[in-house]
Every structure is written in C-alpha cells, then in structure tokens.
Amino acid sequence: MVQALSPGELPEEHRQPEKSDEWQQNLNVRLICRECRDDPPWLVEDHASGDMVCGECGLVLQERSIDQSSEWRTFSNDDQGNDDPSRVGDGPNSLLNGAQLNTNIAFGDGGMRSNDLYRANNKSNVDKGNKQLLQAYKQIGALCEGWQLTPSVVDTAKHLYKDADESRLFKGKSQEALIAGCVFLACRRNNVPRSFREVMELTKVSKKEIGRTFKLLENFLMKREKVREGQTSMLAGGVVVALDTYKGSGTADPGDLCARYCSMLDMDQKAANVATLLAAKTNTTGSLAGRSPLSTAAACIFMAGHLMGQPKTAKEIQAVAGVSDSTIRHAYKLMWNDKEKIITEEILSRGADPVKLPRPS
Ligand SMILES: [Zn+2]
C-alpha cells in the first residue's frame, strides 16, 4: 500500500486485522439436570424409550435420543475380517414391499453351520415379489442411465412401476412394455419428454405396444389422482411436481423437443430459442395442424436453422428427430406459405433473416 505523506508526518502503521481464534468446541457446556443441578450429573439413558433421564429426580432431559450402542452382541472378535459388525443393514426402502424387517443370514463368515443356515434361510424365506421388483428396478435404472436421465426421473419411473405392479391391472402384460411405459411417463412428468420412437429404440418394444401400455398406465394414474384432486401437488421421486404442470393426456410439446434436438444438432442457444418460438407460433396459427409434434419440431428446426444462418439439411434433422426428410420438407412448405404470420417481430428482433429462407421445392 502506498501512502502520501506530508513533511514531518509519520507513516501510519499497518493495522493487521485481528486474527479470529480458530473454532473450538466449547467443552464448558454440559448437560445437567435443571431441577437438582447436581454436578457431576447423574444421567441415565433409557434405551427402550429413547429418553435421557436424571437419575436423581427422574426428569426427562432428552427425548428421542439416538441409540449409538451396538445393534448386536459379538462373542468372537477373530473371524470378523475388517468389517464393523456393530451396525446392521439399510434403512427401510419405500420402493420395496414391507418394512424389510426379516432376518437375513450372511453367507461366509461365522461358524461351520452358518452356510447351512444361510441356505435354509434362503429356501424358506424367498420374497418373490421383492425379487421381481428389484429386477424391474435394475432394468429401469439401466434404461435411464442410457439416456443420462437425472435420479429424480429414475425414482419417478420406479414409483410408477410399483404403483402399476400393485394395482394388478397389468398382470399378463409384457414386463418390458410396462417398464418402457413407466420410463416414458416418468420423462414426461419431469419435463424431459422423449418420443415413443426413442423409447422404442431403447427398449426394443414396438411403438404400438408402448403406446397401448402407456394409455392404460395413464388412465390408471389419472383415475387415482382424481381421488386426491384437492391436493395441489404430488410427490414424485422426492420432488414435488405440481399437478397443474403435468399435461395429462396431452401430447409432447414440439417446443420441448426443439430445445433438445437443436442441442443434438450443435446449433447455438439463439437458434434453439427461435425454433422454440416458431413451434409455439405454429401452434397458435394452426399452420401445422394435424402434424405430429415430432414433424412440427423438425420443420421448426429446419426453418430456424436457415433463419439464423446455421442451416441444417433435412437429412441431418432426420437423423436426430427420426422424421423422414420428405415429411420435414412438406411441413416446411406449409410453414413457408404462412411465413408472414409465423415469423413475428420477436423472432426478427433475435437476428432472424427471412431472406435466407430457401424456397420449398
Ligand atoms: Zn434431577
């Protein structure tokens, strides 16, 4: 630091900021009974009720204390290996049936009879329902991982699967189709919609089959949700999804698809925004009425690419959207005819240049 000094003045000493003491645990705070004020206190932990009680007068000083003692007694310390045997198992998993309070005998460690016990326990105690659920969850997890979906989508899909499985409505239906339907619906509920075609490619279940299962699944869920209509939100995989944002039986929104496909085509955010705006506008003008959301999105991307000077050919768009290039060109022709209405001031203000649009063939 440079200081300007007048003659005879002494430089001001640098004042060091006071060093704050490092944080320390305050060991002077101790729990004593506020009635007897005995020091040292006589505290008794009652594990059965989870209370901390004063041994002198019986006043409860702490409720719901966490029991940190061992969950079982160990008699031999030599055959444990390195694991800590004082804790057992996981918390209850709401995705499985029951509270999972059954006894499991570990394979391996222990005395000579433990393997026999393990086998006998396994034979008598197979929970078939849970095994099937676990198998399905594994499949759902693998599918969602292929798409790099967030855990909330995975959890939603699992919850949907469990609800559907419990309803017994889908007995005899193909397991793959039900899983595909759950993943499809979970994506839609979490606002990351995928098309039937994409689900079909991932699961190898036919589009027709997915569609049929999906309709059944949605009918079942809508019926159930009508019961709790008074509530404003539902819990989906730990995330509160407002019911009004869930677009019931509506179809995929072309705007949502535009954003994702533009990113897959390496178009920048500006072009993606224009494509989304075009999709919203064609929806209100009705220029592409009756077209599927996929072909609407594809045509909007085609137009947005040319408007923003990042043209993509119909073939390139076909590769990501899975719509044939002739369909894209036909939809584009319809948009071209309405281009005065579709290309709004807002789109022009974002740098769109209608001169760059090619004439439809
Ligand atoms: Zn006391």
Side-chain angles (χ1 to χ4, degrees):
M1 209 169 104
V2 184
Q3 259 180 305
L5 295 175
S6 45
E9 195 184 301
L10 288 170
E12 212 177 287
E13 262 179 72
H14 278 303
R15 197 163 286 165
Q16 293 282 337
E18 261 177 57
K19 227 179 176 183
S20 56
D21 290 330
E22 244 176 78
W23 183 83
Q24 270 186 331
Q25 199 173 4
N26 188 350
L27 295 174
N28 291 322
V29 178
R30 296 166 63 202
L31 184 68
I32 59 167
C33 173
R34 64 168 178 272
E35 290 296 319
C36 334
R37 296 184 179 277
D38 265 355
D39 201 4
W42 179 24
L43 302 176
V44 180
E45 228 176 322
D46 183 355
H47 287 306
S49 58
D51 291 339
M52 177 105 70
V53 184
C54 171
E56 204 72 47
C57 66
L59 183 73
V60 176
L61 299 173
Q62 190 184 31
E63 280 178 306
R64 297 171 199 278
S65 60
I66 295 170
D67 184 356
Q68 298 188 336
S69 60
S70 173
E71 280 171 13
W72 58 17
R73 293 182 295 162
T74 27
F75 297 102
S76 59
N77 288 319
D78 37 83
D79 57 358
Q80 304 298 342
N82 278 326
D83 54 69
D84 168 22
S86 60
R87 292 280 133 198
V88 193
D90 213 349
N93 185 347
S94 64
L95 285 169
L96 296 177
N97 293 321
Q100 296 114 52
L101 288 172
N102 45 350
T103 302
N104 282 311
I105 295 173
F107 186 81
D109 328 333
M112 286 176 19
R113 312 291 305 174
S114 90
N115 287 354
D116 292 342
L117 274 173
Y118 166 77
R119 245 171 252 127
N121 168 255
N122 227 18
K123 255 181 214 153
S124 67
N125 202 10
V126 255
D127 198 339
K128 256 194 158 174
N130 271 349
K131 229 170 215 177
Q132 252 169 22
L133 277 177
L134 278 176
Q135 186 67 32
Y137 293 156
K138 211 170 160 187
Q139 246 170 302
I140 291 174
L143 284 181
C144 292
E145 199 154 297
W147 274 342
Q148 286 151 16
L149 292 170
T150 53
S152 70
V153 182
V154 184
D155 282 349
T156 312
K158 286 177 182 175
H159 276 288
L160 287 174
Y161 180 86
K162 183 163 193 250
D163 289 346
D165 188 62
E166 269 169 7
S167 73
R168 309 258 159 212
L169 267 176
F170 299 87
K171 241 181 164 184
K173 293 266 178 318
S174 117
Q175 173 95 347
E176 272 75 34
L178 181 55
I179 288 175
C182 287
V183 172
F184 178 83
L185 199 56
C187 285
R188 212 178 247 199
R189 291 207 154 185
N190 284 277
N191 296 324
V192 282
R194 298 292 187 269
S195 67
F196 279 131
R197 198 189 305 264
E198 285 170 296
V199 179
M200 181 185 76
E201 272 163 17
L202 195 72
T203 57
K204 309 284 173 240
V205 179
S206 78
K207 212 165 116 186
K208 209 168 144 196
E209 182 96 34
I210 298 174
R212 206 184 302 140
T213 320
F214 164 69
K215 266 263 133 6
L216 259 177
L217 198 62
E218 204 185 43
N219 280 343
F220 155 66
L221 291 169
M222 292 304 265
K223 219 178 272 168
R224 207 192 46 182
E225 262 152 36
K226 235 174 218 161
V227 180
R228 20 173 159 147
E229 211 159 9
Q231 293 164 319
T232 50
S233 62
M234 69 167 287
L235 210 65
V239 193
V240 178
V241 178
L243 274 182
D244 54 0
T245 62
Y246 175 55
K247 302 163 195 125
S249 53
T251 44
D253 179 16
D256 291 341
L257 294 169
C258 279
R260 199 153 49 84
Y261 290 147
C262 283
S263 127
M264 282 156 86
L265 282 164
D266 271 339
M267 292 162 78
D268 65 14
Q269 190 58 44
K270 267 183 167 170
N273 288 343
V274 168
T276 313
L277 283 172
L278 285 173
K281 195 64 198 165
T282 51
N283 198 22
T284 49
T285 59
S287 314
L288 291 177
R291 306 272 133 193
S292 80
L294 271 180
S295 38
T296 305
C300 288
I301 293 170
F302 185 80
M303 186 178 248
H306 283 283
L307 279 174
M308 301 303 287
Q310 306 165 35
K312 298 284 168 202
T313 63
K315 274 256 174 331
E316 284 172 292
I317 298 171
Q318 177 189 358
V320 292
V323 184
S324 79
D325 58 339
S326 61
T327 312
I328 297 174
R329 270 187 270 116
H330 182 67
Y332 172 67
K333 198 172 182 178
L334 295 173
M335 285 177 79
W336 165 270
N337 293 338
D338 268 355
K339 68 178 191 300
E340 273 76 36
K341 273 191 276 172
I342 293 171
I343 302 172
T344 55
E345 282 298 316
E346 193 189 354
I347 292 173
L348 289 173
S349 71
R350 285 172 190 246
D353 186 3
V355 182
K356 287 180 187 158
L357 284 181
R359 280 200 87 81
S361 45

